[in-house]
């Protein structure tokens, strides 16, 4: 390491220690850059793939108000994807490269979106549980050490908390509706509860990137801490909904001041991560098809832009 | 029985509702993320217009039907939208051609309707005019890019224009009902919108290096509930939950 690099690194470390933000033009260790690119890109991919399970219900939403809210939500997700790709681009990669990595399976997206939305109540369960877990994960990211990511998260979290309330409201309406509707809501919660707990990632002792990410203040809390926080939040909300969580080991632990909960099926988690969940292939095919079938449109836009530039250039020359 | 004002609000509301439903199918399938956002945005605007118009129709009718009763519990033969909006999305060019034709029509319509003697219709139109101007601009920009882009995009855009052109005639059909309401200063006679529409659309097509079709086939019937075979499937999908759980609230 040269003296110059050492000085840069010391400066970087001082910024991190002082809780200052790292900005795109600042020097940063290569590992920090790579970790952030991976994390932000996968976060962006999750927003984009996450449009599919909910988008699945846009044409079938049971009232015009619900349909409008759902369209607005899925539109927000595309917007979140755009913010996040932009944040990643400040680190020196392009959106096109990142999409390639997604389409070739070299980068991942959140495993939760590999589960199917089978009933209307799933739209509520996704809003309440999946967006709830996302918020728990993402609020601390608003204080992440990398400025562009932290600022993107401030905007995203505002919209996410609105989505979560909407999801809760869908379930509340169903659980206070007809017996069939209540059963539909309970069934959805039964299917989404465990996958949403998996959204926080593997247990701390198995989490590869955690320690370094925490030292760099990219992450502020461990996976298990956040998971616990989430469980503590949703238990009273489930009571308010009049729905149960499918976990016989769930109970208040007065000594810890937290809810104890059951063991997560990590085999299932790793299977889904490997590509063997119920919808992995479908989600990827859908995404790749949209991209491939849109290629001629993107090419047309480029060709038109070139022609326009050429026309302007000729006019100026004349 | 239902009066002319109910029927008129239903026609405009159904146009917006059915096109919103079609655009909703695009979301997560667009060529670019920006287009997922744009198409969702347009769908949302149209859905908003549909909700205002259908709520108003229900109010005018006075039989206790709200926007959802009208959207979800009418059958195909009772829908009043033009056939253009119910046609399948096809490829992106087909969707853009439909948007160009329809948004340009709606822009003229709402501009005129904003001065309606019916305060509700004038209010809905006044608000919608800003949205629809954006829709028309979006479709125009894409018509130019596709028409004057690559050989492939030009071919597809021309094919889309040719394919949908016959369905534009229905947009401008008058009947006794609308002429009556127009005479009272409540509605806009669609026939009066044609010249400006024609000028605008043919101008865009020319700039996009596309030919204006001369096809005079005039499929029609939507305003009388005579639809293409596509609408039945669209409604089966859209309406299935309220039909399966009668009386439930969502």
């Amino acid at each position: 390491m040269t003296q110059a690099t050492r000085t840069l690194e010391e400066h970087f470390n001082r910024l991190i220690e002082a809780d200052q933000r790292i900005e795109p033009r600042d020097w940063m260790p290569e590992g920090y850059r790579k970790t952030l690119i991976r994390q932000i890109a996968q976060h962006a991919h999750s927003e984009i793939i996450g449009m599919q399970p909910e988008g699945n219900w846009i044409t079938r939403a049971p009232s015009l108000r619900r349909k409008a809210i759902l369209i607005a939500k899925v539109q927000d997700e595309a917007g979140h994807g755009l913010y996040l790709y932009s944040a990643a681009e400040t680190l020196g990669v392009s959106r096109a490269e990142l999409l390639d990595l997604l389409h070739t399976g070299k980068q991942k997206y959140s495993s939760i979106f590999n589960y199917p939305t089978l009933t209307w109540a799933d739209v509520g369960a996704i809003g309440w549980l999946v967006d709830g877990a996302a918020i728990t994960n993402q609020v601390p990211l608003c204080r992440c050490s990398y400025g562009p990511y932290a600022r993107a998260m401030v905007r995203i979290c505002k919209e996410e908390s609105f989505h979560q309330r909407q999801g809760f409201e869908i379930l509340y309406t169903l659980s206070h509706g007809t017996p069939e509707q209540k059963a539909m809501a309970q069934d959805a919660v039964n299917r989404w509860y465990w996958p949403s707990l998996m959204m926080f990632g593997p247990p701390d002792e198995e989490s590869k990137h955690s320690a370094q990410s925490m030292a760099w203040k990219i992450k502020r809390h461990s996976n298990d801490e956040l998971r616990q926080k989430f469980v503590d939040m949703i238990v009273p909300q489930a009571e308010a909904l009049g729905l149960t969580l499918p976990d016989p080991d769930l109970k208040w632990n007065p000594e810890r001041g937290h809810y104890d909960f059951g063991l997560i099926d990590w085999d299932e988690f790793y299977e889904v991560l490997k590509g063997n969940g119920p919808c992995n292939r479908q989600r990827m095919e859908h995404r790749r098809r949209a991209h491939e079938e849109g290629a001629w449109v993107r090419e047309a836009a480029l060709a038109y832009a070139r022609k326009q530039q050429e026309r302007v250039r000729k006019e100026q020359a004349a | 029985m239902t009066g002319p004002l109910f029927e008129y609000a239903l026609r405009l509301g159904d146009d917006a509702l059915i096109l919103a439903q079609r655009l909703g199918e695009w979301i997560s399938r667009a060529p670019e993320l920006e287009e997922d956002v744009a198409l969702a945005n347009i769908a949302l605007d149209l859905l908003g217009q549909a909700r205002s118009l259908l709520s108003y129709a229900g109010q005018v009718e006075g039989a206790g039907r709200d926007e959802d009763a009208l959207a979800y519990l009418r059958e195909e033969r009772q829908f009043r939208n033009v056939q253009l909006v119910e046609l399948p999305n096809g490829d992106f060019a087909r969707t853009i051609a439909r948007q160009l034709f329809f948004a340009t029509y709606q822009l003229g319509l709402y501009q005129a309707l904003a001065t309606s003697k019916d305060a509700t219709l004038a209010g809905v139109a006044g608000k919608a005019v800003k949205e629809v101007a954006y829709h028309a601009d979006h479709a125009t920009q894409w018509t130019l890019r596709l028409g004057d882009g690559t050989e492939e995009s030009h071919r597809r855009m021309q094919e889309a224009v040719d394919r949908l052109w016959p369905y534009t005639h229905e947009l401008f059909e008058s009947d006794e009902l609308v002429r009556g309401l127009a005479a009272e200063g409540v509605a806009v006679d669609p026939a009066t919108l044609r010249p400006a529409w024609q000028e605008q659309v043919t101008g865009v097509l020319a700039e996009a290096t596309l030919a204006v079709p001369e096809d005079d086939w005039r499929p029609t019937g939507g305003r009388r509930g005579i639809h293409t075979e596509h609408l039945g499937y669209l409604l089966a999908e859209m309406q299935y939950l309220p039909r399966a759980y009668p009386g439930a609230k969502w």
Side-chain angles (χ1 to χ4, degrees):
Chain A
M1 196 185 282
T2 65
Q3 181 57 41
T5 314
R6 252 197 305 278
T7 312
L8 287 168
E9 186 154 11
E10 277 162 22
H11 179 68
F12 173 85
N13 288 336
R14 267 200 306 278
L15 284 178
I16 296 281
E17 260 166 55
D19 266 334
Q20 301 279 306
R21 293 278 163 80
I22 308 298
E23 295 298 336
R25 284 157 196 255
D26 292 341
W27 183 90
M28 60 189 84
E30 216 25 53
Y32 180 84
R33 185 187 301 275
K34 279 195 181 137
T35 298
L36 273 169
I37 290 176
R38 193 194 64 244
Q39 183 174 336
I40 301 173
Q42 296 190 169
H43 193 163
H45 301 333
S46 302
E47 297 282 357
I48 301 315
I49 299 288
M51 294 167 72
Q52 291 181 40
E54 292 173 287
N56 184 35
W57 281 90
I58 287 175
T59 57
R60 293 177 292 167
S63 76
L64 297 186
R65 176 170 167 266
R66 293 289 181 209
K67 191 192 291 285
I69 292 168
L70 185 58
I71 292 175
K73 180 179 177 190
V74 181
Q75 183 190 14
D76 282 348
E77 282 157 9
H80 295 172
L82 286 170
Y83 299 159
L84 288 162
Y85 284 124
S86 298
E89 285 186 327
T90 66
L91 293 159
V93 281
S94 70
R95 195 208 300 182
E97 287 172 74
L98 296 176
L99 281 174
D100 260 355
L101 292 169
L102 170 65
H103 296 152
T104 53
K106 290 184 184 126
Q107 280 185 341
K108 305 242 175 275
Y109 54 88
S110 178
S111 59
I112 193 84
F113 300 119
N114 293 311
Y115 292 87
T117 47
L118 301 177
T119 72
W120 168 250
D122 289 38
V123 174
I126 288 185
W128 177 47
L129 292 172
V130 175
D131 294 333
I135 294 164
T136 308
N137 250 330
Q138 290 172 8
V139 165
L141 288 174
C142 298
R143 294 186 296 120
C144 155
S145 61
Y146 188 59
Y149 192 24
R151 289 189 288 273
M153 292 322 302
V154 172
R155 298 182 62 176
I156 289 172
C157 284
K158 279 185 196 156
E159 292 178 343
E160 292 288 3
S161 58
F162 184 68
H163 298 164
Q164 200 220 359
R165 280 216 302 278
Q166 291 298 338
F168 183 88
E169 202 214 318
I170 288 175
L171 289 181
Y172 189 89
T173 308
L174 293 175
S175 69
H176 292 76
T178 65
E180 290 90 346
Q181 284 178 304
K182 182 164 185 182
M184 190 190 276
Q186 183 63 61
D187 171 62
V189 169
N190 291 350
R191 284 180 288 110
W192 289 92
Y193 170 77
W194 290 109
S196 69
L197 293 193
M198 296 177 196
M199 284 175 70
F200 297 91
D204 292 347
E205 62 271 20
E206 283 173 46
S207 181
K208 283 185 289 190
H209 307 292
S210 276
Q212 182 60 71
S213 285
M214 285 177 75
W216 276 330
K217 295 188 182 167
I218 295 172
K219 268 181 97 155
R220 296 285 183 153
H221 308 281
S222 78
N223 295 353
D224 287 332
E225 278 168 25
L226 291 169
R227 192 172 2 251
Q228 180 69 61
K229 202 170 171 212
F230 175 66
V231 171
D232 291 346
M233 176 183 85
I234 60 169
V235 171
Q237 291 179 352
E239 281 163 13
L241 285 170
L243 298 172
T244 59
L245 296 170
D247 183 352
D249 298 321
L250 190 66
K251 66 169 188 294
W252 179 248
N253 181 332
E255 275 152 47
R256 293 202 307 124
H258 290 292
Y259 284 93
D260 290 334
F261 54 96
L263 288 176
I264 291 170
D265 181 353
W266 291 111
D267 290 343
E268 175 180 321
F269 174 76
Y270 288 114
E271 276 305 303
V272 176
L273 218 57
K274 268 196 284 177
N276 298 327
C279 295
N280 297 60
R281 293 176 192 199
Q282 179 191 327
R283 300 287 184 244
M284 289 297 286
E285 253 175 55
H286 180 117
R287 178 62 220 150
R288 279 196 293 255
R289 194 184 319 124
H291 191 71
E292 282 159 20
E293 287 179 358
W296 69 273
V297 176
R298 296 190 299 276
E299 282 156 21
L302 282 175
Y304 178 76
R306 273 197 298 271
K307 284 185 196 175
Q308 289 298 98
Q309 274 173 358
E310 188 67 12
R311 278 168 200 147
V312 171
R313 211 177 51 77
K314 273 189 188 150
E315 269 169 37
Q316 282 168 348
Chain B
M1 255 313 279
T2 54
L5 184 56
F6 166 79
E7 184 73 19
Y8 185 65
L10 211 54
R11 290 180 181 187
L12 304 190
D14 284 351
D15 282 351
L17 174 64
I18 299 302
L19 187 53
Q21 180 75 2
R22 282 297 185 214
L23 291 176
E25 295 170 12
W26 265 106
I27 303 171
S28 82
R29 292 179 175 82
E32 292 259 33
L33 289 172
E34 284 81 353
E35 282 311 297
D36 278 313
V37 175
L39 294 171
N41 216 313
I42 296 169
L44 211 46
D45 288 343
L46 289 166
L47 189 54
Q49 295 162 20
R51 294 180 64 191
S52 301
L53 289 161
L54 293 181
S55 296
Y56 184 49
Q59 212 179 301
V60 167
E61 185 191 36
R65 290 201 283 182
D66 62 7
E67 59 180 42
D68 287 329
L70 287 168
Y72 289 93
L73 301 175
R74 276 180 302 148
E75 288 166 15
E76 189 184 334
R77 289 280 288 106
Q78 296 158 336
F79 269 77
R80 293 293 179 257
N81 57 283
V82 289
Q83 294 181 356
L84 177 68
V85 296
E86 75 201 34
L87 299 176
N89 287 334
D91 66 0
F92 191 69
R94 195 79 69 85
T95 289
I96 289 301
R98 189 179 57 197
Q99 284 306 112
L100 178 71
F101 296 154
F102 189 74
T104 307
Y105 153 80
Q106 245 192 344
L107 185 56
L109 169 69
Y110 284 146
Q111 277 167 344
L113 197 62
T115 60
S116 168
K117 282 188 183 151
D118 182 289
T120 307
L121 289 180
V124 171
K127 177 171 179 283
V129 105
K130 291 173 221 133
E131 298 166 350
V132 172
Y134 158 77
H135 306 172
D137 184 49
H138 174 262
T140 298
Q141 296 305 320
W142 273 113
T143 303
L144 296 177
R145 287 188 199 112
L146 299 181
D148 193 16
T150 62
E151 240 173 78
E152 170 72 357
S153 70
H154 177 87
R155 181 188 67 76
R156 287 189 189 234
M157 193 64 215
Q158 185 67 58
E159 190 184 275
V161 166
D162 293 346
R163 181 73 172 249
L164 296 185
W165 187 262
Y167 293 91
T168 61
H169 301 302
E170 189 185 9
L171 293 169
F172 307 103
E173 278 176 13
S174 273
D175 59 11
E176 222 170 291
L177 180 135
V178 79
R179 276 193 296 269
L181 284 174
E184 295 168 34
V186 168
V188 177
D189 182 344
T192 63
L193 300 170
R194 180 136 208 172
W197 181 91
Q198 189 92 18
E199 195 187 326
Q200 179 62 28
V201 166
T202 54
V204 173
L205 294 181
E207 196 185 333
T209 73
L210 296 163
V212 178
E214 282 173 20
D215 195 339
D216 209 34
W217 177 46
R218 293 165 175 260
T220 183
R223 300 300 189 208
R224 290 173 284 119
I226 305 295
H227 291 279
T228 66
E229 289 180 350
H230 303 294
L231 187 66
Y233 292 95
L234 182 149
L235 295 182
E237 184 173 334
M238 184 174 87
Q239 298 179 334
Y240 106 90
L241 271 173
R243 298 269 189 196
Y245 299 87
K249 298 247 182 312
W250 301 93

